[in-house]
């Protein structure tokens, strides 16, 4: 249950974030992003994080890994809450929502590069954790 929910919500939130960055704050996409992102954060809060540093990740990166994962969830939840707040008509005095979406997409890109590096350079199968089992034969 946790694995399926996390994988599905992870990719759904990512695609919706790309659509928000590309197309602006389209309400239907915005609300879908809010719902999928907050559900993903709720699954992690209740059932725990699915990620781990893996046996081949060492040193500072190993120690930082759980904290960086938590930071990604905090960023996702924060941007989802601000998105929902603005879609509901609330006032936000921080950076424009379009900037928050771009910052989150940028952080997500760094997150993806890190896991691609882990999967290829370390050979620790990092991408298998977040891809559906039907895709494992291409990894």
């Amino acid at each position: 249950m946790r694995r399926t929910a996390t994988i599905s919500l992870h990719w759904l939130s990512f695609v919706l974030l790309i659509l928000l960055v590309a197309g602006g704050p389209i309400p239907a996409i915005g609300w879908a992003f809010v719902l999928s992102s907050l559900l993903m954060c709720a699954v992690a809060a209740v059932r725990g994080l699915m990620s781990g540093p893996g046996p081949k990740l060492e040193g500072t990166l190993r120690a930082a890994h759980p904290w960086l994962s938590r930071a990604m969830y905090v960023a996702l939840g924060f941007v989802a809450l601000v998105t929902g707040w603005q879609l509901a008509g609330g006032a936000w005095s921080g950076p424009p929502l379009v900037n928050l979406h771009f910052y989150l997409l940028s952080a997500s890109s760094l997150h993806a590069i890190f896991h691609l590096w882990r999967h290829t350079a370390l050979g620790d199968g990092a991408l298998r954790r977040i891809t559906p089992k039907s895709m494992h034969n291409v990894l």
Side-chain angles (χ1 to χ4, degrees), residues 45-116:
V46 173
R47 300 292 310 249
L49 297 178
M50 206 173 82
S51 65
K56 295 183 180 181
L57 193 62
E58 298 175 348
T60 304
L61 286 176
R62 184 175 185 80
H65 185 275
W67 296 103
L68 292 171
S69 292
R70 290 179 184 111
M72 284 299 297
Y73 273 97
V74 167
L76 177 65
F78 175 75
V79 173
L81 287 172
V82 172
T83 301
W85 178 252
Q86 282 209 315
L87 287 171
W92 164 251
S93 60
L97 191 57
V98 66
N99 289 11
L100 290 179
H101 291 152
F102 183 77
Y103 299 152
L104 183 60
L105 185 60
S106 299
S108 298
S109 298
L110 292 173
H111 170 78
I113 290 167
F114 172 71
H115 287 291
L116 284 169

Side-chain angles (χ1 to χ4, degrees), residues 1-12:
M1 161 65 184
R2 177 182 71 159
R3 177 177 160 61
T4 302
T6 300
I7 291 170
S8 300
L9 293 168
H10 174 275
W11 292 109
L12 178 60

Side-chain angles (χ1 to χ4, degrees), residues 14-30 87 97-98 101-102 105:
F14 178 64
V15 168
L16 291 168
L17 178 61
I18 290 171
L19 292 173
L20 285 172
V21 169
I26 300 165
I29 293 172
L87 287 171
L97 191 57
V98 66
H101 291 152
F102 183 77
L105 185 60

